[in-house]
Amino acid sequence: MRERSSRVVKNSPAVGSASAAGGHTVAASSRGRSAARRSRGWISGIIHTAAGDIPMVKTRLSFLDRWGAVKVRCGAGRAGYRVAPGLYAAGYPGRDAPVFVSANYKLSFDKLRAGLNGLDAWILVLDTKGINVWCAAGKGAFGTDELVARLEATQLKKVVRHKKIILPQLGAIGVSAHAVREACGFRVAYGPVRAEDIKKYFADGYKKSPAMRTINFGLKDRMILAPLELVHALPLALIILGIMAVLHLLRFHTLDVGLALEYLPLAGALVAGTLLFPALLPYLPFRSFALKGTLLGLVWAVGSSFFPAFTLFTLIAHVLLLTPLTAFFALNFTGSSTFTSLAGVKVEVKTVIPLFAGSIIAGTAIMILSYFGALGGI
Amino acid sequence: MRLQYLKGVTDLTLDRDLCNGCRMCINVCPHNVFGIEKKRAVLIDKDACMACGACKLNCPVNAINVSSGVGCAYAVYFSALTRKPHFSVR
């Protein structure tokens, strides 16, 4: 395995594994390590290769990695959550070690390195502008051109002596395996959808079970996406609060707890559409997200019209306003879901958005009229 | 519980006469739309297709066609407002 040029750094903690590195010199000097740790906690050392120095990454996620994941799931700092594109080493990979390709969204990268724990492998990070594999592939950033260019830029052919690269299966949406082979000779294999299945895929001799190539959308998968739905819906919710505050001020000449009580049904619609909807997705009838959301919105509109006391006016206003609002938030969850198609979403949007808009205009009109007593005693 | 989206909206087609039986479509499809019959691919669950386009892009003999894109309401609003197919692929 070891090449003539190999040189093992004496004080390296990796000496015992140097032969596993198969020709690459492992240097993890204490100075380099601490410097790396200060800048990026997830780098543990450097491997010298014919294509230059390659950072070694930890395959156990730290508290900071996990905290960063929680933050981006809630919408904080998503735009800058990136790693530099290029080659990385997990474990002590050698010239025959497998190569796994990922996006430069740190959440994607972290999932991959955690999935490689206990394996010796190279990681090739593409420049996907900080977007995850699936979304980047859908928009072409995780694509054939970027992959071919990155293989060339990193000189992977000098680092490994095989021609196989393993992509996450969802990368196939942007990458054409036969086109990559024609362009640069590397053979693309599509691995499992989820990085956590990599070890099993590896142990089974690079064979994928049907479960490994199927996308799931279980309760956990759905709820991890829900906080961001809520965050995305907040601006609209705040605009409505602002309008209601102005109307309240015009009528009562003060902003008091009455406004908060008036806003509660709307806040409920926000929670129903963004948090409850993902939770109940498989249990709501109909295939259409808009219809599922309309049903959920109707239940909330009718239910909330009993508080503090039921009136016909409240019922009508709630049904006209809260139903389409809840359904609108629900429809937006198509972007987070794993099984909706563009053609289907187009049909839904074209059909229901005019209806939602009409309902909200009618509801707003009767609310404003009632505010100023124009509707008499309803 | 299996989640299913609208029926009959995808325009996915497979030309079995062109198929060389390489199984790439089965390999890349995340919703198990394809199967194999008599050594050639066949559509076994067309309505599960989310039109991601992975099969079309990776079919070496161009036997598959589908109008691909991202099934996301925001993308649809955006392209309707700007008249740009912002999120669509190729």
Side-chain angles (χ1 to χ4, degrees):
Chain A
M1 281 278 288
R2 200 183 291 180
E3 306 284 297
R4 265 182 301 155
S5 64
S6 83
R7 184 172 59 85
V8 176
V9 175
K10 279 266 170 73
N11 65 352
S12 161
V15 167
S17 311
S19 63
H24 303 305
T25 312
V26 176
S29 72
S30 57
R31 202 168 63 98
R33 272 166 72 96
S34 64
R37 200 165 275 163
R38 268 200 304 278
S39 57
R40 297 198 195 92
W42 42 268
I43 290 181
S44 60
I46 296 286
I47 293 186
H48 302 306
T49 71
D53 290 353
I54 292 170
M56 299 165 72
V57 300
K58 294 176 190 169
T59 51
R60 276 175 210 272
L61 301 185
S62 69
F63 171 75
L64 276 179
D65 296 326
R66 291 174 202 278
W67 176 237
V70 170
K71 282 203 294 188
V72 294
R73 290 293 194 191
C74 297
R78 286 207 309 161
Y81 207 57
R82 300 178 179 197
V83 296
L87 262 182
Y88 296 88
Y92 301 100
R95 297 196 144 210
D96 297 310
V99 179
F100 290 88
V101 181
S102 187
N104 78 327
Y105 184 37
K106 185 162 179 285
L107 198 60
S108 311
F109 178 72
D110 282 358
K111 290 249 179 217
L112 175 57
R113 64 191 168 95
L116 293 175
N117 183 259
L119 300 178
D120 297 316
W122 300 103
I123 300 173
L124 178 68
V125 174
L126 304 189
D127 184 3
T128 59
K129 319 292 176 201
I131 308 287
N132 70 71
V133 172
W134 196 359
C135 291
K139 292 160 202 160
F142 188 105
T144 305
D145 294 347
E146 164 61 16
L147 177 59
V148 170
R150 196 59 54 187
L151 286 166
E152 186 59 39
T154 55
Q155 295 288 296
L156 182 69
K157 58 178 187 252
K158 291 187 186 167
V159 179
V160 294
R161 57 184 166 199
H162 60 80
K163 283 283 181 190
K164 179 175 169 178
I165 50 175
I166 302 163
L167 270 62
Q169 185 189 309
L170 295 176
I173 294 163
V175 172
S176 171
H178 55 272
V180 172
R181 190 167 190 180
E182 272 168 35
C184 65
F186 275 97
R187 288 193 321 274
V188 169
Y190 292 111
V193 168
R194 286 164 298 273
E196 66 208 47
D197 288 335
I198 285 176
K199 251 184 259 182
K200 175 116 183 41
Y201 171 72
F202 190 75
D204 293 351
Y206 300 108
K207 284 213 175 67
K208 265 198 291 189
S209 65
M212 279 187 212
R213 55 178 153 83
T214 309
I215 303 176
N216 299 323
F217 205 39
L219 182 67
K220 203 183 142 202
D221 301 316
R222 299 194 302 274
M223 292 324 287
I224 209 166
L225 300 166
L228 201 59
E229 295 294 320
L230 182 65
V231 170
H232 282 163
L234 275 181
L236 180 61
L238 289 175
I239 289 170
I240 296 172
L241 179 61
I243 295 170
M244 287 176 68
V246 169
L247 290 174
H248 194 89
L249 206 56
L250 285 173
R251 188 183 180 193
F252 298 107
H253 309 290
T254 174
L255 289 177
D256 52 13
V257 71
L259 174 65
L261 287 177
E262 281 172 25
Y263 191 65
L264 268 182
L266 268 160
L270 177 73
V271 170
T274 59
L275 301 183
L276 207 54
F277 181 80
L280 298 178
L281 187 66
Y283 312 107
L284 292 165
F286 311 117
R287 290 171 178 236
S288 148
F289 276 46
L291 277 180
K292 282 171 184 276
T294 299
L295 185 71
L296 185 64
L298 264 179
V299 169
W300 172 245
V302 173
S304 64
S305 64
F306 283 90
F307 300 98
F310 178 82
T311 64
L312 186 61
F313 172 77
T314 316
L315 177 69
I316 294 169
H318 281 198
V319 168
L320 285 177
L321 289 169
L322 302 185
T323 311
L325 200 64
T326 310
F328 176 71
F329 294 138
L331 182 58
N332 291 345
F333 195 62
T334 50
S336 288
S337 76
T338 57
F339 60 101
T340 53
S341 61
L342 178 63
V345 175
K346 271 185 180 163
V347 170
E348 291 218 65
V349 168
K350 273 185 194 154
T351 316
V352 300
I353 291 297
L355 294 174
F356 287 177
S359 178
I360 284 178
I361 290 168
T364 310
I366 69 160
M367 285 296 276
I368 291 174
L369 291 176
S370 82
Y371 253 58
F372 301 105
L375 292 182
I378 309 181
Chain B
M1 190 177 291
R2 196 180 153 209
L3 286 157
Q4 291 176 306
Y5 199 46
L6 308 185
K7 268 187 181 174
V9 288
T10 180
D11 61 357
L12 173 70
T13 58
L14 163 71
D15 187 342
R16 294 198 73 208
D17 293 335
L18 291 176
C19 178
N20 67 1
C22 75
R23 292 176 163 262
M24 197 56 155
C25 49
I26 295 175
N27 188 14
V28 297
C29 178
H31 288 297
N32 299 310
V33 168
F34 298 91
I36 281 276
E37 228 172 65
K38 293 177 188 158
K39 296 188 178 175
R40 286 182 185 194
V42 58
L43 298 175
I44 55 171
D45 191 4
K46 191 173 158 184
D47 280 328
C49 175
M50 59 167 182
C52 70
C55 52
K56 178 186 174 183
L57 191 58
N58 282 280
C59 176
V61 291
N62 295 320
I64 301 170
N65 232 312
V66 61
S67 309
S68 58
V70 183
C72 165
Y74 279 116
V76 174
Y77 309 146
F78 187 90
S79 62
L81 291 174
T82 60
R83 306 197 171 276
K84 271 186 228 161
H86 188 64
F87 283 28
S88 75
V89 193
R90 282 162 291 277

